[in-house]
Amino acid sequence: MAGKREQNREQNRQALIGAVLDSVAEKGISETSVSEIIQRAGLSRGMIHLHFGGKDNLVQAAAHHSSEAYYDGLETLLQTAGDSPQERVEMIVRGDLSERVLNQRNVSIWYAFRGEARNRKAIAEYSDTRDGRLRGMIHNAFARIVREAGTPDASGAARDATHGTLALLEGMWTDFLLHPDRFDREEAARIVFRFLAAMFPAHFSLAGAIRPKQGKRGCNSSP
Amino acid sequence: MAGKREQNREQNRQALIGAVLDSVAEKGISETSVSEIIQRAGLSRGMIHLHFGGKDNLVQAAAHHSSEAYYDGLETLLQTAGDSPQERVEMIVRGDLSERVLNQRNVSIWYAFRGEARNRKAIAEYSDTRDGRLRGMIHNAFARIVREAGTPDASGAARDATHGTLALLEGMWTDFLLHPDRFDREEAARIVFRFLAAMFPAHFSLAGAIRPKQGKRGCNSSP
DNA sequence: CCCAAAAATGGACAAGCGTCCATCAAAATC
DNA sequence: GATTTTGATGGACGCTTGTCCATTTTTGGG
């Protein structure tokens, strides 16, 4: 036991962070006031100042928490994936588009923070960190694919593939933000894999399933 | 002359809208207060209530204005493009990534409004309208390309191409938002055209230049 | 030139914000 | 069980917000 004191302390900290995220998801950042937060957390007014020194710091901590949760989820998923770079890329794409990660709550929170990112340096940092780590994971996989395939201009191809994949995923998130009802996860995944199949026809197939090892084929006209 | 009265009236309305957009771009939505707005516009406090009936309506009008400006700019650009669907698509892509459209001010404003869109129905509407019109323009062009090429599953291919192109552009905007300094317009365009070349090898080349009419070729392995 | 009409002004106002601290409750230590 | 220590409480505070309106200024018509 870590002492009932410290245990409660941490529990309340988490309650505050959770309340901020709930409020941001439901009402947006501009309506996430101190009163709103403490009401949701069921705690007293002074707690915010006590634990975080002020509302701004609490919001920042919430952004941090959200960012970590996203990345941790993706990393957990990645550990169940095989070693091959194709499998890892596919896992990231499918994970990023899965219900677990891409849902109304997360999207609301993410875009709310993004909107404020330009004016709140601390938040921008976490926004960036998340993207940076994801970028690293994807780039790593593509670098291996490119190396194996012996593509000319290897670093350029890996960079473009990383850039394009991330941009596509980002665009899919926006799509979901604007039209959560008519969003189609399968269609989104299919389009990403179309892009990947175009860049690495020997590694990805249009169906989105990983192409089994075989001789290189250079042709992939429309289905 | 439309009467000095009405002329001034309209001028002040525009000044208020401009002040809102400037403030949103520089300080973000949460710091765009009535005081901030009227100070920038150099007008008196009561003007907002007089011309728009309240701050919320003014902000909505500003979102509308921004949305219209974006689309008008793109449409003007399109009028200088040729008739071929390839040219039109290329014009849209290059236009959307051009300094004129994709710059710090526009990106800040756009993402600030997006962040609030979920909680302000009126703003979400304009956000949607812009996307909808752009989508229509692009889909139209791809539908023609697909028809000419006689692709099987024509409507599906056009839809995927539209979806993918928009998602990629969206992702590029996000990229610019987060890293305006190290953003490379040429690289962004190249990646979009890579995607297009993969889907329609007979119509787009990897270099981003439109491929002159010629016999169909189905192969486009890495450069 | 004068007067009615319209537009612009800026201060008053209530409501809501975030911060802080005197007070209280409870856990840890002796 | 008494005492110290630490976490938790909620009201008071100063400040800013957006709204509104009595007043002043400007414009256009007679």
Side-chain angles (χ1 to χ4, degrees):
Chain A
M1 183 79 64
K4 197 168 178 183
R5 248 200 157 88
E6 183 125 0
Q7 194 177 334
N8 262 27
R9 192 183 151 87
E10 191 53 29
Q11 187 177 314
N12 286 337
R13 275 182 61 98
Q14 293 305 319
L16 285 173
I17 288 178
V20 169
L21 294 179
D22 284 346
S23 174
V24 168
E26 277 180 43
K27 306 215 167 183
I29 278 201
S30 62
E31 296 205 40
T32 297
S33 63
V34 168
S35 307
E36 181 74 32
I37 295 167
I38 57 108
Q39 193 178 331
R40 282 174 186 269
L43 297 173
S44 63
R45 217 167 170 65
M47 292 290 269
I48 291 175
H49 180 252
L50 179 66
H51 284 301
F52 295 93
K55 187 199 168 193
D56 277 10
N57 288 340
L58 167 56
V59 171
Q60 179 182 334
H64 178 65
H65 182 92
S66 167
S67 167
E68 290 293 309
Y70 164 86
Y71 183 72
D72 287 352
L74 221 55
E75 210 173 39
T76 303
L77 220 68
L78 255 185
Q79 283 169 351
T80 74
D83 266 348
S84 84
Q86 296 99 300
E87 279 179 83
R88 292 177 76 83
V89 169
E90 176 164 9
M91 201 55 124
I92 292 172
V93 171
R94 294 210 175 276
D96 202 64
L97 295 173
S98 72
E99 169 79 39
R100 176 96 185 276
V101 171
L102 180 62
N103 54 56
Q104 296 221 25
R105 187 184 139 93
N106 284 350
V107 167
S108 289
I109 292 171
W110 194 248
Y111 280 86
F113 283 139
R114 271 266 176 75
E116 288 280 278
R118 179 164 291 268
N119 311 104
R120 308 188 41 157
K121 215 182 131 233
I123 288 182
E125 224 165 272
Y126 293 123
S127 184
D128 226 29
T129 305
R130 191 197 92 163
D131 289 345
R133 289 163 86 178
L134 181 57
R135 180 175 301 267
M137 292 182 353
I138 296 186
H139 185 83
N140 210 41
F142 282 128
R144 280 177 56 197
I145 289 179
V146 155
R147 207 179 311 131
E148 286 174 12
T151 316
D153 185 21
S155 82
R159 198 180 62 232
D160 279 11
T162 305
H163 197 164
T165 305
L166 283 172
L168 273 168
L169 289 175
E170 189 66 47
M172 295 306 166
W173 274 54
T174 304
D175 237 38
F176 184 89
L177 172 79
L178 296 177
H179 308 291
D181 40 319
R182 56 174 129 127
F183 185 80
D184 182 340
R185 294 177 201 279
E186 271 315 307
E187 183 180 339
R190 186 178 69 236
I191 289 169
V192 175
F193 286 116
R194 236 189 226 267
F195 174 76
L196 292 178
M199 289 208 64
F200 306 109
H203 296 78
F204 296 94
S205 77
L206 290 177
I210 290 177
R211 177 164 296 200
K213 289 218 169 169
Q214 62 183 68
K216 280 191 207 172
R217 289 175 53 236
C219 292
N220 66 316
S221 50
S222 300
Chain B
M1 181 79 63
K4 197 169 179 183
R5 247 201 159 89
E6 184 125 359
Q7 195 177 335
N8 261 28
R9 193 183 151 87
E10 192 53 28
Q11 187 177 314
N12 285 337
R13 275 182 61 97
Q14 292 305 319
L16 285 173
I17 288 178
V20 170
L21 294 179
D22 284 346
S23 173
V24 168
E26 276 181 44
K27 306 215 165 182
I29 277 202
S30 63
E31 295 205 40
T32 298
S33 64
V34 167
S35 308
E36 181 74 31
I37 295 167
I38 57 109
Q39 193 178 333
R40 282 175 186 267
L43 296 172
S44 64
R45 220 168 167 62
M47 293 290 269
I48 291 175
H49 180 252
L50 179 66
H51 284 301
F52 296 92
K55 187 200 168 193
D56 277 11
N57 289 339
L58 167 57
V59 170
Q60 179 182 334
H64 179 66
H65 182 92
S66 168
S67 167
E68 290 292 310
Y70 164 85
Y71 182 73
D72 287 353
L74 221 56
E75 211 172 38
T76 302
L77 220 68
L78 255 186
Q79 283 169 352
T80 73
D83 266 348
S84 84
Q86 296 98 301
E87 278 180 84
R88 293 177 76 82
V89 168
E90 177 163 11
M91 201 55 124
I92 291 173
V93 170
R94 294 211 175 275
D96 202 64
L97 295 173
S98 72
E99 169 79 38
R100 176 96 186 276
V101 171
L102 180 62
N103 54 56
Q104 296 222 24
R105 186 184 139 93
N106 285 350
V107 167
S108 290
I109 292 171
W110 194 247
Y111 280 86
F113 282 139
R114 270 266 179 75
E116 288 279 280
R118 179 164 290 266
N119 310 106
R120 309 192 34 160
K121 215 182 132 234
I123 288 181
E125 224 165 272
Y126 293 123
S127 184
D128 226 29
T129 305
R130 191 196 92 166
D131 289 344
R133 289 164 85 178
L134 180 58
R135 180 175 300 268
M137 290 179 0
I138 296 185
H139 185 84
N140 210 40
F142 281 129
R144 280 177 55 197
I145 289 179
V146 156
R147 208 178 310 131
E148 286 174 11
T151 317
D153 185 22
S155 82
R159 199 181 61 231
D160 279 11
T162 305
H163 198 164
T165 305
L166 283 172
L168 274 168
L169 288 176
E170 189 65 48
M172 296 306 169
W173 274 53
T174 303
D175 237 39
F176 184 89
L177 172 80
L178 296 177
H179 309 290
D181 41 320
R182 56 173 129 128
F183 185 81
D184 182 339
R185 294 176 201 280
E186 271 314 307
E187 184 180 338
R190 187 178 70 235
I191 289 169
V192 175
F193 285 116
R194 236 190 227 266
F195 175 75
L196 293 178
M199 289 207 64
F200 307 109
H203 296 76
F204 296 93
S205 77
L206 289 177
I210 290 178
R211 175 164 300 197
K213 289 222 167 166
Q214 62 183 66
K216 282 189 203 173
R217 289 175 53 233
C219 291
N220 65 317
S221 50
S222 298

